[in-house]
């Protein structure tokens, strides 16, 4: 918070415990007086920590707080503050601040928003009542607080309207991206191209691929392995394709593998600096490879685990955890080591890696993958299930055409999204700047020693005037 000597002379620095009638943590849910829905009997809201639905947990008929107050989340979204202007019941992990007559509750809310609240605790971060009580805030006279709040809300209203327009545009861009991918993998994006470029049909492509596999098997002496054909039941769950296209299983057209758990336990030792960067789940986003925050392994470890060698051009897929189904292509000219939770998909030459990547990022492809996941706490997909994922087989020429068309359009999407993201960051920076100026006494130019002097100002804000709450729940 700002230093006192940098504030207007009539402002003070006060600890929250000195300007609140009460600061306390919520208690247990009133079990015998509780309902998930509002009714004539249970109409008092129960609030917990968290931003979803402003922390609404349920309803009771027993208000714990009857005066306008501020709640602060003590766990999870630590520091999230919300004005409660109506009677309510707070429960655990929520801290309640009941301001006294010298402090406007909306002013308090914006002060808290401007604070960099620190949490305590090591294993589970949390905010405690003692920490909140000693937090210092700048305090102008009450009526000036209300004028500052009015100015903040005027400025933030315009800012929030602009931010909402940006978020709407961002969502529309996501819808357009998926519509474009859907169009591509239904064959409509390349429909005119196919008319002008008659190529091998699906059946002919299958024969050519099988012939090449048999030839390679004879030359190498390796046994030819194939997965079970796509069943009629499986086909009913797949969309209809153009007559020149067909569905095949990914595992019949790619080498799919991962780092085994025992291999990781026995051999792998990460280093902050080393020979070979390790690809982890955090290096694979929804659409691409993210080349940062690497750990490293020694080259000799990679040589002991050749399946984990990534040479460039392979598709990566997160197969467990929050990023389940995320995919990206490994860049060329750099050797990597395949870490846990990420599968390597090395495609055979009949497929373009970018074509399959775009398919897997489409809703159709993503749903195809995640539909194979096990119903566990984290969610996971086995290598066997990744091999069973159905992908469209078309000529490599048409694949390349689709990739070219997609990337020319998606590049424009990416640039627009980048502009939107920058604008959203600028909006947040501006928001923080508004709050910072407000609590440095620079947003409203006044210089009064007390509320009495403030009341005499020609703007005519009467001391007894009550400013209605504009926000809260």
């Amino acid at each position: 918070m700002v230093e006192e000597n940098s504030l207007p002379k009539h402002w003070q620095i006060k600890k929250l415990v000195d300007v609140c009638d009460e600061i306390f943590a919520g208690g247990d849910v009133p079990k015998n007086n509780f309902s998930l829905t509002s009714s004539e009997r249970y109409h008092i809201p129960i609030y917990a920590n968290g931003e979803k639905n402003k922390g609404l947990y349920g309803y009771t008929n027993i208000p714990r707080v009857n005066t306008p107050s501020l709640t602060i989340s003590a766990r999870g979204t630590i520091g999230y503050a919300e004005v409660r202007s109506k009677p309510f019941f707070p429960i655990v992990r929520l801290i309640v601040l009941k301001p006294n007559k010298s402090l406007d509750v909306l002013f308090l809310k914006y002060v808290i928003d401007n604070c960099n609240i620190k949490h305590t605790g090591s294993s589970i971060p949390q905010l405690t009542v003692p920490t909140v009580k000693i937090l210092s805030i700048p305090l102008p006279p009450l009526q000036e607080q209300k004028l500052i709040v009015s100015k903040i809300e005027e400025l933030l209203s315009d800012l929030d309207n602009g931010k909402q327009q940006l978020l709407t545009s961002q969502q529309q861009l996501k819808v357009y991206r998926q519509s474009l991918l859907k169009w591509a993998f239904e064959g409509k994006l390349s429909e005119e191209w196919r008319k002008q470029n008659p190529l091998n049909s699906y059946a002919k492509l299958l024969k050519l691929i099988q012939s090449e596999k048999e030839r390679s098997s004879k030359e190498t002496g390796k046994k030819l392995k194939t997965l079970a054909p796509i069943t009629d039941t499986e086909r009913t769950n797949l969309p209809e394709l153009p007559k020149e296209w067909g569905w095949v299983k990914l595992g019949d057209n790619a080498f799919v593998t991962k780092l085994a758990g025992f291999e990781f336990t026995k051999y792998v030792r990460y280093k902050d600096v080393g020979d070979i960067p390790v690809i982890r789940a955090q290096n694979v986003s929804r659409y691409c490879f993210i080349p940062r925050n690497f750990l490293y392994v020694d080259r000799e470890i990679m040589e002991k685990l050749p399946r984990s060698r990534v040479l460039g051009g392979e598709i990566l897929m997160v197969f467990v955890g929050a990023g389940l189904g995320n995919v990206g292509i490994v860049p060329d000219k750099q050797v990597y080591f395949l870490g846990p939770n990420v599968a390597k998909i090395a495609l055979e030459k009949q497929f373009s890696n970018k074509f399959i990547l775009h398919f897997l990022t489409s809703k159709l492809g993503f749903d195809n993958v995640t539909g194979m996941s096990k119903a566990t706490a984290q969610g996971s997909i086995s290598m066997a299930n990744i091999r069973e994922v159905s992908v469209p087989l078309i000529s490599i020429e048409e694949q390349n055409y689709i990739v070219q068309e997609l990337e020319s359009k998606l590049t424009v999407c990416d640039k627009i999204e980048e502009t939107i993201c920058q604008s959203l960051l600028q909006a947040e920076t501006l928001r923080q700047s508004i709050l910072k100026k407000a609590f440095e006494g620079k947003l409203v130019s006044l210089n009064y020693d007390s509320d009495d002097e403030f009341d005499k100002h020609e703007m005519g804000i009467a001391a007894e005037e009550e400013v209605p709450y504009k926000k809260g729940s």
Side-chain angles (χ1 to χ4, degrees):
M1 194 54 68
V2 295
E3 297 294 330
E4 188 167 8
N5 58 13
S6 66
L7 296 173
K9 64 180 181 179
H10 61 291
W11 286 34
Q12 297 176 303
I13 294 289
K14 291 285 188 180
K15 291 182 178 179
L16 285 176
V17 70
D18 296 325
V19 290
C20 290
D21 288 331
E22 196 175 1
I23 299 176
F24 64 94
D28 295 331
V29 177
K31 294 182 179 178
N32 296 325
N33 296 282
F34 170 72
S35 172
L36 288 173
T37 58
S38 179
S39 65
E40 185 176 349
R41 180 181 179 186
Y42 297 113
H43 59 279
I44 304 297
I46 298 172
Y47 292 114
N49 66 309
E51 294 185 52
K52 186 178 180 181
N53 295 327
K54 296 185 177 181
L56 182 63
Y57 185 86
Y59 296 87
T60 184
N61 58 355
I62 308 169
R64 169 68 175 83
V65 183
N66 290 289
T67 57
S69 301
L70 188 79
T71 61
I72 305 177
S73 289
R75 288 265 190 99
T77 50
I78 293 175
Y80 168 67
E82 192 68 51
V83 171
R84 312 294 184 184
S85 57
K86 298 178 181 179
F88 69 99
F89 192 103
I91 59 174
V92 291
R93 301 175 182 172
L94 194 68
I95 296 175
V96 179
L97 291 77
K98 298 174 65 176
N100 64 26
K101 293 182 179 180
S102 69
L103 180 59
D104 179 83
V105 68
L106 282 171
F107 182 86
L108 175 60
K109 184 249 191 297
Y110 288 121
V111 169
I112 295 299
D113 286 349
N114 189 53
C115 288
N116 182 20
I117 294 182
K118 302 294 184 182
H119 58 72
T120 59
S122 52
S123 58
I124 303 178
Q126 60 183 335
L127 189 64
T128 64
V129 169
T131 302
V132 173
K133 283 184 175 181
I134 62 173
L135 186 66
S136 296
I137 66 168
L139 191 71
L142 181 60
Q143 294 301 322
E144 189 173 347
Q145 293 175 38
K146 294 180 178 182
L147 188 58
I148 290 170
V149 166
S150 179
K151 187 64 176 177
I152 288 174
E153 295 195 334
E154 176 191 338
L155 295 173
L156 293 189
S157 176
D158 292 340
L159 190 63
D160 289 343
N161 287 339
K163 182 177 178 180
Q164 188 56 53
Q165 291 175 7
L166 289 169
L167 292 172
T168 299
S169 297
Q170 194 175 50
Q171 187 59 38
Q172 290 172 339
L173 203 58
K174 290 179 181 179
V175 172
Y176 171 74
R177 180 189 289 271
Q178 284 303 318
S179 296
L180 186 61
L181 291 169
K182 182 175 183 290
W183 189 262
F185 295 107
E186 287 178 347
K188 295 174 182 175
L189 186 62
S190 54
E191 188 172 9
E192 289 301 318
W193 184 91
R194 282 195 303 278
K195 293 177 181 178
Q196 300 172 21
N197 297 273
L199 294 167
N200 289 327
S201 65
Y202 167 68
K204 183 69 177 292
L205 287 171
L206 281 180
K207 288 181 180 180
L208 290 173
I209 292 169
Q210 184 63 23
S211 175
E212 177 62 23
K213 286 179 180 288
E214 290 172 355
R215 184 192 64 77
S216 177
S217 178
K218 288 180 181 179
E219 288 181 357
T220 61
K222 292 182 179 180
K223 186 178 179 180
L224 184 61
K225 296 181 180 179
T226 57
L227 299 174
I230 296 175
T231 66
D232 290 339
T233 301
E234 288 173 327
R235 289 183 191 279
T236 60
N237 295 322
L238 296 169
E240 186 177 350
L241 297 175
K243 62 180 182 179
E244 300 90 347
W245 293 25
W247 293 104
V248 294
K249 291 187 176 180
L250 184 59
D252 280 333
N253 298 272
F255 174 59
V256 180
T257 191
K258 67 171 184 174
L259 174 68
F262 77 89
E263 293 174 323
F264 178 78
T265 303
K266 184 175 180 179
Y267 295 106
V268 179
R269 298 292 181 272
Y270 288 154
K271 295 182 175 182
D272 291 331
V273 178
D275 301 325
I276 310 296
V278 178
I279 295 173
R280 297 176 291 163
Q282 63 179 272
N283 298 118
V284 188
S285 77
R286 182 72 175 83
Y287 300 107
C288 63
F289 179 71
I290 306 172
R292 62 171 182 263
N293 299 328
F294 288 119
L295 294 175
Y296 296 84
V297 295
D298 293 332
R299 186 174 295 278
E300 63 183 43
I301 291 177
M302 186 181 69
E303 291 172 352
K304 290 178 181 177
L305 303 171
R307 286 188 306 140
S308 291
R309 183 178 300 156
V310 183
L311 302 176
E314 300 95 334
I315 292 177
L316 303 169
M317 179 184 291
V318 178
F319 62 82
V320 66
L324 184 71
N326 285 358
V327 289
I329 293 177
V330 183
D332 294 326
K333 300 180 181 179
Q334 170 68 58
V335 176
Y336 295 91
F337 181 85
L338 189 67
N341 303 338
V342 182
K344 176 178 74 173
I345 303 172
L347 292 162
E348 295 175 357
K349 64 181 182 180
Q350 62 266 25
F351 275 110
S352 157
N353 58 0
K354 289 185 177 181
F355 177 79
I356 295 299
L357 178 82
H358 286 307
F359 173 74
L360 294 174
T361 61
S362 71
K363 186 178 186 303
L364 171 60
F366 187 74
D367 290 349
N368 198 347
V369 171
T370 55
M372 298 280 189
S373 66
K374 299 176 183 176
T376 61
Q378 279 193 308
S380 64
I381 312 171
S382 67
M383 296 304 101
N385 282 340
I386 293 176
R387 296 182 187 108
E388 291 288 329
V389 170
S390 298
V391 297
L393 174 64
I394 59 177
S395 69
I396 193 69
E397 292 85 358
E398 189 171 359
Q399 290 180 48
N400 291 336
Y401 174 79
I402 289 172
V403 168
Q404 179 181 334
E405 289 297 301
L406 280 175
E407 295 196 341
S408 67
K409 293 174 173 60
L410 292 176
T411 298
V412 175
C413 289
D414 291 340
K415 289 180 179 178
I416 295 172
E417 185 163 14
E418 183 180 352
T419 301
I420 290 173
C421 289
Q422 289 175 348
S423 297
L424 287 170
L425 287 173
Q426 290 170 355
E428 184 57 31
T429 300
L430 182 55
R431 179 186 181 87
Q432 294 304 317
S433 176
I434 290 170
L435 293 177
K436 183 174 183 292
K437 286 184 176 181
F439 302 116
E440 289 176 346
K442 298 176 181 177
L443 192 64
V444 175
S445 299
L446 295 172
N447 188 22
Y448 298 102
D449 293 328
S450 67
D451 276 349
D452 289 338
E453 289 190 29
F454 184 88
D455 294 336
K456 296 175 184 177
H457 188 257
E458 62 184 2
M459 293 176 67
I461 301 177
E464 68 274 8
E465 180 182 352
E466 291 293 335
V467 177
Y469 292 106
K470 297 181 180 179
K471 292 186 177 179
S473 54

